[in-house]
Amino acid sequence: MLQTAPAPRDHVHIVVLDGITVYVDGTPRRIQPHQAAALLVLAASDTPLTGHDLAEYLWPDDDPRRHSDRPIKILSALRRILGAARLPRTGRGYKLTLYGDDILDLDLWRRNVHHASRAAEPDPGAAAIEYDRALSLFTGLPDDLPDTDRMTSLCESLIGERLDVVEALARVRLDIGLHSKVAEQLPDLVRRWPEREQLLDLLMRAQYRAQRRGAALRQYEQYLQRLGDAKPSKDLAHLHQQILDDDPALASPPFEPPVADRNVIDAGADPARPQTFRISGYFAYLAAWTGYPTAEDPEYHSAADRAAAGLLTVAAPSMLTIQYEAGNLADILVQAAIRAGISTIVEVGALVPTNDSVHATARKLSADARTLYLSTDGPLVTYSRQKLGDTPAAAFIKGSLETFLTGHAHLPDWLDLTEPILLIDQYANGLERDKKAYADLYAVLGDRLAPRSRLYVNAPTADGISPAVVWALADMYRSAEDEQLYPSSRDEVAALLPPGWRYLRQQDVEFTTDVWEIWAGRRSPEQARPGPLPRNAIVAEKPHPGQ
């Protein structure tokens, strides 16, 4: 009877599309050439493989190693590298098995492609970026793989997948008017893979729309010469005739960006570069929409922002749940603050306000509630002010926690710091590199705010969170304009608690899910689900002197 190996406690990141490498807890492990080839086969296989199956990929028929114990030795070596549980031996053979925190780039590649294909029709701008990102993950297969029929077939299949994505990227780029870009990038691929008529079709369309009619016709003539006595497909022949006739149907209507993109442009921001608060705002909308289909789209994000958020949902689907929980907790804490007699709320690092933002939640409970939003993103502030209009419930100004404390921000007249406030910091702290200096600001804040003031900090932290989530967050924000995400350790999060402040007690806030019950001490993290939010959040209150 086969024994089941215990679940591994480490984390592996397997790369097979950009060289072949195995990282165990972030450290690369040495792997021999035939072990690497075997790992590629296992990663690409949907079914278990026996030693005999593997041998057919690794050695030709006349190689004596094919009929020796070498395949089993290679599998045993991979089990030592990956952990036996990740390459279990079943009655039908060996199958690569990943656990929750593990990453296989081939799997991630295919999920990225699937997500991009779903976005292609409604959002071709974002799909183009997602396809391009997927292609950057697949740089190529090693040149020294075994020269066998089955390995050749596998490699051709994987390269075929990549070419499918190249074609899909070309199509969405044509949809958004990037005709010249497609015309520049496809000729080499058409020469290298002349049998793929779809590549030629896309190239001819791109050249025609880029005012290069002659080049498109020459491409077709060269293709006919390569075919010899064979005939092109009816679709390609029809396209050729359309070009000869200058058929108006070949023209592409001007691409009209979505409203959200136009809002970014009108506010004075660069839509081509992803921006942290725009990404976060769109992601928060996606998370809220999973629980409330009536959640309002802030309509202030670009294709680059939506593509970045898409990457995160693909690489770490649990992040939607975590974000949803964070929004829920913010609502709970706002309601609790209003019921405790606090009528002023300040949010630093604020996102574009929507119908479920802090000011809307507070206003439902108290007509006297006021919310001050601060952001360092000037164009976002401009758009948010326009969106809020003349509402007395909220003000949106350019500033940070530091300018708020120093008085350099243009604070509204109704803000009275002699009265208790609720301060919320969900997004600003993650952009602060100097955690010690930021904790010092919180110490000043804690001293200055009135007794009974409350604090909610939700900080990105690598502690206790899946490595896949950490990797996805870092990758999502890597290209954000002039910004980087700096996760905090648990100790650095705890250091933000101002001296003399106390964590709120269980009875001070009504909890609704297991996650909040962890924070209240009613359950252990092992018993609750689904995410790490309580491990990286502070919910605290400033007591009266002497309490």
Side-chain angles (χ1 to χ4, degrees):
M1 182 175 181
L2 297 176
Q3 293 184 345
T4 302
R9 295 185 178 182
D10 55 10
H11 160 260
V12 300
H13 184 168
I14 302 172
V15 177
V16 296
L17 302 180
D18 182 19
I20 299 178
T21 312
V22 175
Y23 299 89
V24 179
D25 287 336
T27 301
R29 298 292 299 271
R30 185 177 181 182
I31 185 168
Q32 301 297 327
H34 274 86
Q35 294 169 2
L39 184 58
L40 172 63
V41 175
L42 290 161
S45 178
D46 293 329
T47 59
L49 296 173
T50 64
H52 177 74
D53 295 329
L54 193 60
E56 292 183 353
Y57 286 91
L58 301 183
W59 297 285
D61 288 341
D62 56 355
D63 193 311
R65 291 173 295 181
R66 181 165 176 171
H67 308 288
S68 68
D69 62 353
R70 286 292 300 279
I72 298 302
K73 288 183 176 180
I74 288 173
L75 288 165
S76 296
L78 287 175
R79 280 165 62 89
R80 288 193 295 272
I81 294 170
L82 300 172
R86 294 192 179 91
L87 200 54
R89 181 167 60 91
T90 70
R92 294 180 296 164
Y94 296 83
K95 190 174 191 319
L96 183 63
T97 303
L98 301 180
Y99 286 78
D101 290 346
D102 296 335
I103 300 173
L104 171 63
D105 67 343
L106 177 58
D107 174 59
L108 183 61
W109 145 269
R110 286 171 171 163
R111 285 188 284 136
N112 278 342
V113 170
H114 177 69
H115 189 274
S117 67
R118 293 179 60 189
E121 184 175 346
D123 194 359
I129 298 170
E130 291 187 42
Y131 279 133
D132 195 42
R133 168 59 187 158
L135 289 172
S136 73
L137 293 176
F138 193 163
T139 62
L141 301 174
D143 295 328
D144 59 351
L145 291 171
D147 185 13
T148 64
D149 289 344
R150 292 198 70 176
M151 183 63 77
T152 298
S153 177
L154 171 61
C155 292
E156 288 177 349
S157 176
L158 292 173
I159 294 299
E161 283 189 55
R162 191 180 194 282
L163 289 172
D164 289 343
V165 176
V166 169
E167 293 171 355
L169 172 59
R171 279 192 288 273
V172 292
R173 280 179 170 169
L174 290 178
D175 288 342
I176 60 178
L178 299 180
H179 313 307
S180 295
K181 192 175 187 69
V182 175
E184 291 170 3
Q185 293 182 339
L186 288 190
D188 287 344
L189 295 174
V190 168
R191 283 190 291 271
R192 190 172 177 183
W193 283 281
E195 71 279 4
R196 292 186 71 100
E197 270 199 2
Q198 187 58 219
L199 281 175
L200 178 58
D201 181 293
L202 292 163
L203 174 58
M204 291 170 61
R205 291 177 189 276
Q207 289 175 326
Y208 182 80
R209 293 176 182 177
Q211 310 303 313
R212 296 174 57 191
R213 180 177 181 272
L217 294 173
R218 284 193 297 273
Q219 286 287 346
Y220 185 76
E221 294 302 323
Q222 292 169 7
Y223 181 62
L224 292 182
Q225 293 174 10
R226 288 194 296 270
L227 285 178
D229 294 334
K231 298 292 184 181
S233 68
K234 291 182 179 180
D235 288 341
L236 193 66
H238 178 63
L239 173 61
H240 175 247
Q241 189 61 49
Q242 284 183 298
I243 293 174
L244 287 174
D245 297 340
D246 288 316
D247 189 341
L250 286 179
S252 174
F255 175 66
E256 186 68 23
V259 171
D261 298 66
R262 295 200 300 271
N263 288 337
V264 170
I265 296 169
D266 292 344
D270 180 2
R273 294 288 302 276
Q275 199 276 338
T276 298
F277 293 115
R278 298 200 309 256
I279 297 171
S280 298
Y282 182 65
F283 194 76
Y285 158 67
L286 292 179
W289 189 85
T290 62
Y292 302 102
T294 57
E296 180 187 4
D297 185 342
E299 293 191 330
Y300 184 76
H301 38 77
S302 69
D305 303 318
R306 295 190 294 276
L311 169 65
L312 183 58
T313 61
V314 168
S318 62
M319 278 301 297
L320 277 174
T321 302
I322 295 170
Q323 177 66 53
Y324 177 68
E325 291 173 354
N328 259 0
L329 181 55
D331 284 347
I332 291 169
L333 296 175
V334 168
Q335 294 170 31
I338 295 295
R339 294 190 181 102
I342 296 174
S343 60
T344 302
I345 303 163
V346 176
E347 182 171 9
V348 296
L351 309 178
V352 171
T354 63
N355 60 7
D356 58 352
S357 291
V358 167
H359 76 283
T361 300
R363 201 68 171 182
K364 291 174 185 176
L365 297 177
S366 171
D368 297 326
R370 299 287 187 273
T371 301
L372 172 62
Y373 295 112
L374 295 101
S375 172
T376 56
D377 182 343
L380 183 145
V381 173
T382 298
Y383 175 75
S384 297
R385 284 174 174 169
Q386 295 172 353
K387 199 167 187 298
L388 285 173
D390 297 328
T391 176
F396 211 116
I397 66 175
K398 185 174 182 181
S400 62
L401 181 61
E402 183 175 9
T403 57
F404 171 70
L405 290 173
T406 58
H408 292 167
H410 298 289
L411 303 177
D413 295 337
W414 48 258
L415 183 65
D416 182 1
L417 295 185
T418 65
E419 296 293 326
I421 71 168
L422 167 63
L423 188 132
I424 299 174
D425 179 355
Q426 297 192 79
Y427 302 100
N429 64 82
L431 302 180
E432 295 293 334
R433 184 172 187 174
D434 189 339
K435 303 300 182 183
K436 174 63 168 60
Y438 203 63
D440 292 341
L441 284 177
Y442 266 97
V444 175
L445 173 80
D447 184 61
R448 188 167 302 177
L449 295 185
R452 293 181 45 248
S453 291
R454 293 185 174 185
L455 175 65
Y456 169 42
V457 178
N458 178 24
T461 172
D463 294 348
I465 298 181
S466 160
V469 173
V470 176
W471 177 85
L473 281 171
D475 196 74
M476 183 177 80
Y477 288 105
R478 183 173 293 128
S479 57
E481 184 176 5
D482 301 325
E483 293 165 349
Q484 291 188 40
L485 187 71
Y486 298 103
S488 303
S489 67
R490 291 185 193 175
D491 289 342
E492 287 170 335
V493 175
L496 297 180
L497 181 69
W501 285 52
R502 63 179 179 87
Y503 290 103
L504 282 178
R505 297 166 300 173
Q506 174 181 323
Q507 58 264 37
D508 292 322
V509 179
E510 178 183 354
F511 294 92
T512 57
T513 73
D514 280 356
V515 173
W516 320 137
E517 290 179 347
I518 298 179
W519 179 75
R522 294 198 293 237
R523 290 181 185 266
S524 68
E526 291 73 22
Q527 293 175 310
R529 63 180 192 276
L533 184 60
R535 306 179 190 180
N536 63 330
I538 290 177
V539 184
E541 182 178 61
K542 182 176 182 177
H544 281 285
Q547 281 189 333

